[in-house]
Amino acid sequence: MKRIMYIEDKGDGLEGPGRIGWVEITRTGRSYKYKGKLYKRCAGYKYNCIEEETGRNFWISGPKKNGQDRLYGGIVEIYSSHLNFSVFKRLERENFRSAVFAIPAS
């Protein structure tokens, strides 16, 4: 199953880069796949997933309606190739007021 989710890198501390994109949830629900990488769910301090390949900490959750996904505020990137236009317009309608913008995926 695929869902639009918020992904934030916590590997270098509490304030890492965050983005919104399509995440695949595995059949068991114990891990996520995003951009070809596997993230195992866990319980940690200010993180809930560990990237299997590198061991880096990540926070992965559903996006908030108010757009305030980051723990301490900041910019959230939306990779436009992951979202079709109707989904992006719906996100705008649902009042994503904080610093949310679309950038082309590389």
Side-chain angles (χ1 to χ4, degrees), residues 4-100:
I4 295 174
M5 298 188 82
Y6 174 70
I7 304 104
E8 185 172 345
D9 185 350
K10 300 288 189 174
D12 294 326
L14 296 178
E15 295 189 57
R19 64 196 60 85
I20 294 175
W22 285 107
V23 173
E24 184 179 344
I25 301 170
T26 60
R27 186 178 52 82
T28 62
R30 294 184 188 150
S31 57
Y32 304 105
K33 292 180 183 176
Y34 177 70
K35 288 187 144 186
K37 296 182 181 179
L38 186 66
Y39 301 88
K40 299 257 185 200
R41 292 181 67 184
C42 66
Y45 178 70
K46 309 266 184 182
Y47 66 92
N48 64 354
C49 292
I50 296 177
E51 184 185 352
E52 188 177 68
E53 190 176 304
T54 63
R56 289 179 68 84
N57 300 330
F58 281 82
W59 177 262
I60 300 178
S61 65
K64 293 182 180 178
K65 286 186 178 183
N66 64 7
Q68 297 175 349
D69 297 289
R70 294 184 55 79
L71 182 60
Y72 297 110
I75 295 174
V76 177
E77 300 170 354
I78 299 176
Y79 285 85
S80 58
S81 68
H82 292 212
L83 306 173
N84 64 36
F85 184 72
S86 63
V87 170
F88 187 69
K89 293 309 278 181
R90 189 179 81 235
L91 290 174
E92 287 179 338
R93 276 197 315 274
E94 290 178 355
N95 212 8
F96 279 74
R97 287 187 300 251
S98 68
V100 176

